[in-house]
Structure formats: C-alpha cells, structure tokens
Amino acid sequence: MKTLVPAVAVWGKTAPSHSITAVMITDDQQTIVTGSQEGQICLWDLSSDLQISSKEILFGHTASVTCLAKARE
C-alpha cells in the first residue's frame, strides 16, 4: 500500500536547495532527519497520521551529507 505524503513549503517562495542524499528516522518514529548534497541537515516532525512539518535546518557542512547515524545513549 502506497501512502502519499504532501510536500511542505516552509521557506516561502524560494526554498534553499536541499537535494536529499541521506535519510534517517528516529527510534520513536517522530522525527525524520535528512542530509543534503548542499551540506544541510534538516529535522522534520512526523505525526502519527504521517503529517510532516519542518522543525530545523542546520547549515555549516562544507561537503555533501551522505550518511546519517544516531549517537548511542
């Protein structure tokens, strides 16, 4: 069964480029983390009814983010 998730515009008319190269979902399945070819990391909230909303965008990497991993407790 395919689930359609609508696109979310969070930056107004001109969104920064964010060509996704890595995706991670947290263990609690409430946050999606995406890394991009442009060196950004984005955090997204995921609700129980699969609604996605932006949380944060992190800038500063000078190369593509090609891998994401969670830290151990």
Side-chain angles (χ1 to χ4, degrees):
M1 182 171 114
K2 291 184 179 181
T3 302
L4 297 177
V5 179
V8 178
V10 294
W11 294 282
K13 293 180 181 179
T14 313
S17 295
H18 188 73
S19 305
I20 295 174
T21 53
V23 176
M24 183 184 77
I25 299 176
T26 57
D27 289 339
D28 63 7
Q29 299 181 350
Q30 294 182 357
T31 303
I32 298 173
V33 183
T34 58
S36 76
Q37 184 175 351
E38 295 78 19
Q40 305 151 351
I41 295 175
C42 290
L43 304 177
W44 306 87
D45 284 326
L46 179 62
S47 68
S48 59
D49 59 347
L50 300 178
Q51 295 295 313
I52 298 172
S53 58
S54 64
K55 189 173 181 179
E56 295 180 61
I57 186 167
L58 309 170
F59 295 91
H61 287 84
T62 57
S64 297
V65 177
T66 58
C67 182
L68 295 166
K70 64 176 186 156
R72 294 184 185 177
E73 291 182 11

